[in-house]
Short mmCIF file of all heavy atoms in Angstrom, two decimals:
data_model
loop_
_atom_site.label_atom_id
_atom_site.label_comp_id
_atom_site.label_asym_id
_atom_site.label_seq_id
_atom_site.Cartn_x
_atom_site.Cartn_y
_atom_site.Cartn_z
N ASN A 2 232.47 -5.02 6.59
CA ASN A 2 232.08 -5.01 5.21
C ASN A 2 231.19 -3.81 4.90
O ASN A 2 230.22 -3.55 5.60
CB ASN A 2 231.35 -6.30 4.81
CG ASN A 2 232.26 -7.49 4.74
OD1 ASN A 2 233.42 -7.43 5.18
ND2 ASN A 2 231.78 -8.59 4.15
N GLY A 3 231.56 -3.08 3.83
CA GLY A 3 230.77 -1.92 3.41
C GLY A 3 231.29 -0.61 3.96
O GLY A 3 230.71 0.45 3.67
N TYR A 4 232.35 -0.66 4.76
CA TYR A 4 232.87 0.53 5.42
C TYR A 4 234.35 0.71 5.11
O TYR A 4 235.10 -0.25 5.00
CB TYR A 4 232.62 0.46 6.94
CG TYR A 4 231.14 0.54 7.22
CD1 TYR A 4 230.36 -0.63 7.19
CD2 TYR A 4 230.51 1.72 7.45
CE1 TYR A 4 228.98 -0.58 7.37
CE2 TYR A 4 229.13 1.79 7.65
CZ TYR A 4 228.39 0.64 7.60
OH TYR A 4 227.02 0.70 7.80
N GLY A 5 234.74 1.97 4.98
CA GLY A 5 236.12 2.29 4.64
C GLY A 5 237.01 2.58 5.83
O GLY A 5 236.65 2.30 6.97
N ARG A 6 238.15 3.15 5.52
CA ARG A 6 239.16 3.38 6.55
C ARG A 6 238.65 4.27 7.68
O ARG A 6 239.00 4.09 8.82
CB ARG A 6 240.40 4.03 5.94
CG ARG A 6 241.20 3.10 5.03
CD ARG A 6 242.48 3.77 4.60
NE ARG A 6 243.30 2.90 3.79
CZ ARG A 6 244.50 3.22 3.32
NH1 ARG A 6 244.99 4.41 3.60
NH2 ARG A 6 245.19 2.38 2.60
N LYS A 7 237.82 5.27 7.34
CA LYS A 7 237.34 6.20 8.34
C LYS A 7 235.94 5.85 8.80
O LYS A 7 235.21 6.70 9.30
CB LYS A 7 237.40 7.62 7.80
CG LYS A 7 238.80 8.10 7.47
CD LYS A 7 238.77 9.54 6.96
CE LYS A 7 240.19 10.03 6.71
NZ LYS A 7 240.21 11.45 6.22
N ASN A 8 235.57 4.58 8.63
CA ASN A 8 234.26 4.14 9.07
C ASN A 8 233.13 4.85 8.34
O ASN A 8 232.05 5.06 8.90
CB ASN A 8 234.10 4.30 10.59
CG ASN A 8 233.10 3.33 11.19
OD1 ASN A 8 233.00 2.20 10.75
ND2 ASN A 8 232.40 3.75 12.19
N THR A 9 233.41 5.27 7.09
CA THR A 9 232.45 6.02 6.29
C THR A 9 231.82 5.10 5.24
O THR A 9 232.54 4.43 4.50
CB THR A 9 233.12 7.20 5.60
OG1 THR A 9 233.71 8.05 6.59
CG2 THR A 9 232.14 8.00 4.79
N PRO A 10 230.51 5.06 5.14
CA PRO A 10 229.89 4.22 4.11
C PRO A 10 230.38 4.60 2.71
O PRO A 10 230.57 5.75 2.40
CB PRO A 10 228.40 4.55 4.28
CG PRO A 10 228.26 5.02 5.71
CD PRO A 10 229.53 5.74 6.00
N LYS A 11 230.52 3.57 1.86
CA LYS A 11 231.00 3.77 0.51
C LYS A 11 229.92 4.24 -0.42
O LYS A 11 230.18 4.73 -1.51
CB LYS A 11 231.60 2.46 -0.02
CG LYS A 11 232.84 1.99 0.72
CD LYS A 11 233.35 0.68 0.16
CE LYS A 11 234.59 0.20 0.87
NZ LYS A 11 235.08 -1.14 0.38
N THR A 12 228.66 4.06 -0.05
CA THR A 12 227.55 4.47 -0.90
C THR A 12 226.67 5.45 -0.14
O THR A 12 226.69 5.56 1.08
CB THR A 12 226.71 3.26 -1.33
OG1 THR A 12 226.29 2.56 -0.16
CG2 THR A 12 227.49 2.32 -2.21
N GLN A 13 225.88 6.19 -0.91
CA GLN A 13 225.03 7.20 -0.33
C GLN A 13 223.57 6.75 -0.45
O GLN A 13 223.07 6.49 -1.54
CB GLN A 13 225.20 8.55 -1.02
CG GLN A 13 226.60 9.14 -0.86
CD GLN A 13 226.86 9.54 0.58
OE1 GLN A 13 226.02 10.13 1.23
NE2 GLN A 13 228.04 9.19 1.09
N THR A 14 222.88 6.68 0.66
CA THR A 14 221.45 6.40 0.70
C THR A 14 220.81 7.45 1.54
O THR A 14 221.46 8.14 2.33
CB THR A 14 221.15 5.00 1.28
OG1 THR A 14 221.47 5.01 2.69
CG2 THR A 14 221.97 3.91 0.59
N PRO A 15 219.47 7.65 1.41
CA PRO A 15 218.83 8.67 2.26
C PRO A 15 219.09 8.53 3.72
O PRO A 15 219.33 9.53 4.41
CB PRO A 15 217.35 8.47 1.90
CG PRO A 15 217.36 7.93 0.51
CD PRO A 15 218.57 7.07 0.44
N ALA A 16 219.06 7.30 4.25
CA ALA A 16 219.30 7.10 5.66
C ALA A 16 220.72 7.46 6.04
O ALA A 16 220.97 8.09 7.09
CB ALA A 16 218.99 5.65 6.07
N ILE A 17 221.68 7.08 5.21
CA ILE A 17 223.07 7.40 5.50
C ILE A 17 223.30 8.91 5.42
O ILE A 17 223.99 9.47 6.26
CB ILE A 17 224.00 6.65 4.55
CG1 ILE A 17 224.02 5.15 4.95
CG2 ILE A 17 225.40 7.21 4.56
CD1 ILE A 17 224.80 4.29 4.01
N LYS A 18 222.71 9.55 4.42
CA LYS A 18 222.85 10.99 4.31
C LYS A 18 222.33 11.71 5.55
O LYS A 18 222.93 12.65 6.05
CB LYS A 18 222.13 11.50 3.06
CG LYS A 18 222.83 11.13 1.75
CD LYS A 18 222.01 11.65 0.56
CE LYS A 18 222.69 11.29 -0.75
NZ LYS A 18 221.93 11.75 -1.91
N GLU A 19 221.17 11.26 6.04
CA GLU A 19 220.58 11.86 7.25
C GLU A 19 221.48 11.62 8.45
O GLU A 19 221.69 12.53 9.26
CB GLU A 19 219.19 11.28 7.50
CG GLU A 19 218.50 11.84 8.74
CD GLU A 19 218.26 13.32 8.68
OE1 GLU A 19 218.09 13.87 7.57
OE2 GLU A 19 218.27 13.97 9.76
N GLY A 20 222.03 10.42 8.56
CA GLY A 20 222.94 10.11 9.66
C GLY A 20 224.19 10.93 9.61
O GLY A 20 224.68 11.42 10.65
N GLU A 21 224.75 11.08 8.39
CA GLU A 21 225.98 11.88 8.25
C GLU A 21 225.72 13.35 8.54
O GLU A 21 226.57 14.04 9.11
CB GLU A 21 226.55 11.68 6.86
CG GLU A 21 227.16 10.29 6.66
CD GLU A 21 227.73 10.12 5.25
OE1 GLU A 21 227.24 10.81 4.34
OE2 GLU A 21 228.65 9.33 5.10
N LYS A 22 224.54 13.86 8.14
CA LYS A 22 224.17 15.25 8.43
C LYS A 22 224.17 15.46 9.94
O LYS A 22 224.70 16.46 10.45
CB LYS A 22 222.79 15.57 7.85
CG LYS A 22 222.26 16.95 8.20
CD LYS A 22 220.84 17.11 7.69
CE LYS A 22 220.25 18.46 8.14
NZ LYS A 22 218.82 18.59 7.71
N ALA A 23 223.54 14.54 10.67
CA ALA A 23 223.51 14.65 12.12
C ALA A 23 224.91 14.54 12.73
O ALA A 23 225.27 15.28 13.64
CB ALA A 23 222.58 13.59 12.71
N ASP A 24 225.71 13.63 12.18
CA ASP A 24 227.05 13.39 12.69
C ASP A 24 227.93 14.62 12.50
O ASP A 24 228.82 14.91 13.30
CB ASP A 24 227.66 12.16 12.00
CG ASP A 24 228.93 11.68 12.68
OD1 ASP A 24 229.02 11.76 13.93
OD2 ASP A 24 229.83 11.20 11.98
N ASN A 25 227.70 15.37 11.40
CA ASN A 25 228.52 16.53 11.06
C ASN A 25 227.99 17.84 11.64
O ASN A 25 228.60 18.89 11.47
CB ASN A 25 228.61 16.67 9.56
CG ASN A 25 229.40 15.54 8.91
OD1 ASN A 25 230.32 14.99 9.51
ND2 ASN A 25 229.02 15.16 7.68
N THR A 26 226.85 17.79 12.34
CA THR A 26 226.28 19.01 12.95
C THR A 26 226.99 19.28 14.28
O THR A 26 227.01 18.42 15.17
CB THR A 26 224.76 18.84 13.20
OG1 THR A 26 224.12 18.61 11.94
CG2 THR A 26 224.19 20.09 13.82
N PRO A 27 227.58 20.46 14.45
CA PRO A 27 228.24 20.76 15.72
C PRO A 27 227.24 20.75 16.89
O PRO A 27 226.09 21.16 16.72
CB PRO A 27 228.80 22.17 15.49
CG PRO A 27 228.80 22.38 14.01
CD PRO A 27 227.67 21.57 13.48
N LYS A 28 227.72 20.35 18.05
CA LYS A 28 226.86 20.31 19.21
C LYS A 28 226.33 21.70 19.58
O LYS A 28 225.26 21.84 20.15
CB LYS A 28 227.60 19.71 20.40
CG LYS A 28 227.90 18.22 20.23
CD LYS A 28 228.56 17.64 21.46
CE LYS A 28 228.84 16.15 21.29
NZ LYS A 28 229.45 15.56 22.48
N SER A 29 227.09 22.73 19.20
CA SER A 29 226.65 24.09 19.48
C SER A 29 225.38 24.46 18.72
O SER A 29 224.69 25.40 19.08
CB SER A 29 227.76 25.08 19.15
OG SER A 29 228.15 24.97 17.76
N ASP A 30 225.07 23.69 17.64
CA ASP A 30 223.90 23.97 16.84
C ASP A 30 222.68 23.16 17.20
O ASP A 30 221.68 23.16 16.49
CB ASP A 30 224.25 23.73 15.33
CG ASP A 30 225.23 24.73 14.77
OD1 ASP A 30 225.45 25.78 15.41
OD2 ASP A 30 225.83 24.46 13.70
N ILE A 31 222.73 22.41 18.28
CA ILE A 31 221.57 21.65 18.73
C ILE A 31 220.41 22.61 18.95
O ILE A 31 220.53 23.66 19.56
CB ILE A 31 221.86 20.88 20.04
CG1 ILE A 31 222.95 19.84 19.83
CG2 ILE A 31 220.59 20.24 20.58
CD1 ILE A 31 223.34 19.12 21.12
N LYS A 32 219.23 22.22 18.42
CA LYS A 32 218.06 23.07 18.52
C LYS A 32 216.84 22.25 18.97
O LYS A 32 216.87 21.02 19.01
CB LYS A 32 217.75 23.74 17.18
CG LYS A 32 217.43 22.78 16.04
CD LYS A 32 217.20 23.51 14.76
CE LYS A 32 216.84 22.57 13.61
NZ LYS A 32 217.92 21.59 13.32
#
């Protein structure tokens, strides 16, 4: 419940945005 086909939240909250930012950051950019 609350998740779509690609396991992506349907709504945007600060915590979700932060999590998605981290999820979308390439490993090569780890700092």
Side-chain angles (χ1 to χ4, degrees):
N2 288 13
Y4 294 84
R6 291 185 177 183
K7 296 182 178 180
N8 206 35
T9 302
K11 295 178 180 178
T12 55
Q13 296 293 315
T14 69
I17 287 174
K18 288 179 179 178
E19 179 62 30
E21 289 180 333
K22 176 186 175 184
D24 193 35
N25 293 328
T26 300
K28 293 183 179 182
S29 57
D30 292 344
I31 295 176
K32 63 183 181 299

